[in-house]
Amino acid sequence: MKKSLIAAVSLAASAAVLVPSTAHAATTYANCTAMHKAYKYGVAKSSAAASYQVRHGHHRPTVSSKVYYANTKSDRDHDGTACEA
Protein backbone atom coordinates (compact mmCIF):
# COMPACT_ATOMS: atom_id res chain seq x y z
CA MET A 1 0.00 0.00 0.00
CA LYS A 2 2.79 2.40 0.93
CA LYS A 3 4.67 1.73 -2.31
CA SER A 4 1.60 2.33 -4.47
CA LEU A 5 0.87 5.58 -2.61
CA ILE A 6 4.46 6.78 -3.11
CA ALA A 7 4.30 5.80 -6.78
CA ALA A 8 1.02 7.67 -7.25
CA VAL A 9 2.37 10.81 -5.58
CA SER A 10 5.58 10.58 -7.61
CA LEU A 11 3.64 10.16 -10.84
CA ALA A 12 1.40 13.13 -10.05
CA ALA A 13 4.41 15.31 -9.25
CA SER A 14 6.20 14.38 -12.47
CA ALA A 15 3.03 15.04 -14.49
CA ALA A 16 2.78 18.51 -12.96
CA VAL A 17 6.33 19.27 -14.12
CA LEU A 18 5.54 18.22 -17.69
CA VAL A 19 2.54 20.54 -18.06
CA PRO A 20 3.66 23.54 -20.12
CA SER A 21 3.39 26.89 -18.44
CA THR A 22 1.21 29.59 -19.88
CA ALA A 23 2.92 31.86 -22.37
CA HIS A 24 3.90 35.22 -20.96
CA ALA A 25 3.08 38.28 -23.01
CA ALA A 26 5.93 40.62 -23.83
CA THR A 27 6.01 43.88 -21.92
CA THR A 28 4.65 46.93 -23.69
CA TYR A 29 6.47 50.13 -22.77
CA ALA A 30 4.81 53.55 -22.76
CA ASN A 31 7.79 55.24 -24.41
CA CYS A 32 11.50 54.86 -25.17
CA THR A 33 12.55 56.26 -21.79
CA ALA A 34 10.69 53.41 -20.10
CA MET A 35 12.11 50.83 -22.53
CA HIS A 36 15.68 52.10 -22.03
CA LYS A 37 15.43 51.28 -18.32
CA ALA A 38 15.11 47.60 -19.24
CA TYR A 39 16.88 47.58 -22.64
CA LYS A 40 19.63 50.21 -22.70
CA TYR A 41 20.12 50.21 -26.48
CA GLY A 42 16.59 49.35 -27.61
CA VAL A 43 15.14 46.11 -28.98
CA ALA A 44 15.60 44.69 -32.47
CA LYS A 45 13.23 42.21 -34.11
CA SER A 46 16.11 40.12 -35.53
CA SER A 47 19.90 39.80 -35.54
CA ALA A 48 19.93 41.34 -39.02
CA ALA A 49 18.16 44.43 -37.66
CA ALA A 50 20.64 44.60 -34.76
CA SER A 51 23.57 44.38 -37.20
CA TYR A 52 22.03 47.17 -39.26
CA GLN A 53 22.12 49.41 -36.18
CA VAL A 54 25.79 48.67 -35.58
CA ARG A 55 26.66 49.38 -39.23
CA HIS A 56 24.93 52.75 -38.95
CA GLY A 57 26.76 53.90 -35.80
CA HIS A 58 24.39 52.80 -33.05
CA HIS A 59 25.07 50.40 -30.19
CA ARG A 60 23.93 46.76 -30.60
CA PRO A 61 20.34 46.45 -29.30
CA THR A 62 18.87 43.42 -27.57
CA VAL A 63 17.27 40.99 -30.03
CA SER A 64 13.75 39.94 -29.04
CA SER A 65 11.01 39.65 -31.61
CA LYS A 66 8.32 39.32 -28.91
CA VAL A 67 9.31 42.57 -27.19
CA TYR A 68 9.81 44.33 -30.53
CA TYR A 69 6.35 43.40 -31.85
CA ALA A 70 4.75 44.46 -28.55
CA ASN A 71 6.38 47.89 -29.05
CA THR A 72 6.34 48.52 -32.81
CA LYS A 73 4.92 51.99 -32.15
CA SER A 74 8.39 52.90 -30.84
CA ASP A 75 10.07 52.08 -34.17
CA ARG A 76 9.38 55.40 -35.86
CA ASP A 77 11.80 54.91 -38.76
CA HIS A 78 10.63 51.31 -39.40
CA ASP A 79 14.15 49.87 -39.49
CA GLY A 80 13.37 46.85 -37.30
CA THR A 81 14.61 48.33 -34.00
CA ALA A 82 12.48 50.04 -31.39
CA CYS A 83 14.16 52.83 -29.42
CA GLU A 84 17.66 52.45 -30.85
CA ALA A 85 20.35 54.42 -29.04
Side-chain angles (χ1 to χ4, degrees), residues 41 43-44 47-61 75 77-85:
Y41 301 121
V43 177
S47 350
S51 295
Y52 176 85
Q53 295 305 317
V54 172
R55 285 192 310 272
H56 287 87
H58 296 281
H59 292 280
R60 181 171 290 282
D75 184 9
D77 56 0
H78 307 288
D79 61 356
T81 302
C83 301
E84 60 265 20

Side-chain angles (χ1 to χ4, degrees), residues 38-73:
Y39 301 100
K40 187 174 181 179
Y41 301 121
V43 177
K45 68 179 174 181
S46 66
S47 350
S51 295
Y52 176 85
Q53 295 305 317
V54 172
R55 285 192 310 272
H56 287 87
H58 296 281
H59 292 280
R60 181 171 290 282
T62 301
V63 176
S64 173
S65 61
K66 287 182 181 182
V67 175
Y68 173 81
Y69 285 113
N71 295 281
T72 55
K73 69 184 184 320

Side-chain angles (χ1 to χ4, degrees), residues 12-39:
S14 65
V17 172
L18 296 176
V19 174
S21 63
T22 59
H24 296 286
T27 302
T28 301
Y29 295 94
N31 54 42
C32 287
T33 301
M35 182 183 279
H36 286 157
K37 289 179 182 177
Y39 301 100

